[in-house]
Amino acid sequence: MSDGTPADLFFDAAIGLLQRVRDEEGEAIAAAGALLADTVADGGRLFAFGAGHSSLAAQDVVYRAGGLALMNLLAVPGVVGVDVTPATLGSALERVDGLAGAVLDTSPVRAGDTLVIISLSGRNALPVEMALGARARGLKVIGVTSVAYAAETTSRHSSGTFLKDHCDIVLDSKIAVGDAELTLDTIPAPFAPASTVVTTALLQAVMAITAAALADRGIEPPLLRSGNVDGGHEWNGRVMAQYGDRIFYRR
C-alpha cells in the first residue's frame, strides 16, 4: 500500500469506487430511477431484498427519513443480516433451492410491482431464483451486484447463471471479488470491505432520481420525514394514510 494510514487508504478506496460508479453507472442509475417512478405512477409497489450484509443496503431504503414511503423490505427469515444464531445459517440458506419461490408465494408482491435485489456476488441460489421468480410473476427486477463475480467465479445455481442474467436493469457496484480493499504485509488476508458503502450510495442515488422523476410528472413523491423534526410524525401519518395499500411494513 502507498503512504497514509489504513483509514486514509480505505477512504481513498471507497471514494474511488464511488467515483467509478457515478461515472460508469449513470445511465443505469437513471434507468432504475425512472423504472421506480413508472411503478409508483402506475399504482405498483416497490420492494427491496438482500441477504446477509447485502440486506443492509435493502434496509437502508425502507422506512427512513428522506426515503420513499413505498419501498418495502422483502424479508427472508434467517438471512436478514446476522440476527440469527449461528450467523453462518444465513449463508447456508442463500444456497437452498426453492426458498425464493416460497417467499414470493407468501409475500404481497404482484404483477406490476418492482423488486430491487441486492447481492454482491449474485452467484447463490437465493438471489438468482428470487429474480427468476419475480419476473415470472410479472414484476420488474433491478439487480445490484458486482459483475466481476460472474467473470471470476462460478454460479451456485443449477442453471449456471448469475443474478445479473435475470434483471431488467443491472447496477454494477464495481466491487472486486472478495470485497476487501486493503492489504498489509503484516496481515495475512485482505481487509476493509466497501460493498455496503458503495451499494447504499448506489441505491440512494436511484431514490433521488425516482423522487425527481415523479416531481417532473407532477406527482408529489411519497417521501417520509424524520420523526425527530417538528411536524415529522404528522407528515408521515398523512403519507401513510394516502398510500397505506402499498406500504406493508406497518402490518
Side-chain angles (χ1 to χ4, degrees):
M1 296 193 310
S2 59
D3 293 338
T5 70
D8 292 335
L9 294 169
F10 176 76
F11 281 122
D12 288 343
I15 290 168
L17 285 164
L18 290 170
Q19 289 175 330
R20 280 194 65 197
V21 166
R22 181 190 63 187
D23 295 342
E24 299 173 20
E25 295 299 301
E27 186 175 337
I29 290 169
L35 174 55
L36 293 185
D38 288 342
T39 305
V40 173
D42 293 341
R45 294 86 57 81
L46 310 177
F47 296 87
F49 164 77
H53 286 91
S54 290
S55 180
L56 297 175
Q59 293 177 58
D60 190 62
V61 294
V62 174
Y63 185 56
R64 68 161 305 142
L68 290 172
L70 305 192
M71 185 60 72
N72 300 279
L73 185 67
L74 186 62
V76 178
V79 305
V80 182
V82 289
D83 60 342
V84 296
T85 303
T88 51
L89 175 61
S91 297
L93 288 173
E94 288 187 64
R95 305 178 191 182
V96 174
D97 293 336
L99 180 57
V103 171
L104 289 167
D105 284 342
T106 55
S107 77
V109 302
R110 67 187 184 194
D113 295 343
T114 295
L115 172 61
V116 179
I117 301 176
I118 305 109
S119 174
L120 178 59
S121 73
R123 68 188 298 218
N124 289 313
L126 184 54
V128 172
E129 291 184 358
M130 191 70 77
L132 281 165
R135 294 180 90 185
R137 289 165 174 78
L139 281 75
K140 296 292 187 180
V141 174
I142 298 170
V144 187
T145 187
S146 171
V147 173
Y149 276 82
E152 300 179 37
T153 69
T154 57
S155 171
R156 290 186 175 131
H157 187 251
S158 58
S159 67
T161 61
F162 288 76
L163 168 62
K164 73 175 187 63
D165 300 316
H166 307 287
C167 299
D168 296 281
I169 298 170
V170 175
L171 300 173
D172 183 4
S173 64
K174 315 295 182 181
I175 300 295
V177 173
D179 192 17
E181 295 300 319
L182 304 184
T183 58
L184 274 177
D185 292 342
T186 54
I187 300 177
F191 61 104
S195 60
T196 303
V197 173
V198 176
T199 303
T200 298
L202 253 175
L203 285 177
Q204 290 298 348
V206 170
M207 297 303 138
I209 292 287
T210 302
L214 286 169
D216 287 345
R217 302 178 194 192
I219 301 172
E220 181 180 330
L223 298 170
L224 295 174
R225 301 192 70 181
S226 171
N228 295 315
V229 300
D230 291 342
H233 288 301
E234 291 77 14
W235 172 282
N236 293 341
R238 289 192 295 271
V239 173
M240 295 284 188
Q242 181 177 354
Y243 291 96
D245 59 335
R246 292 195 262 176
I247 298 172
F248 299 97
Y249 46 80
R250 302 177 64 205
R251 300 178 182 177

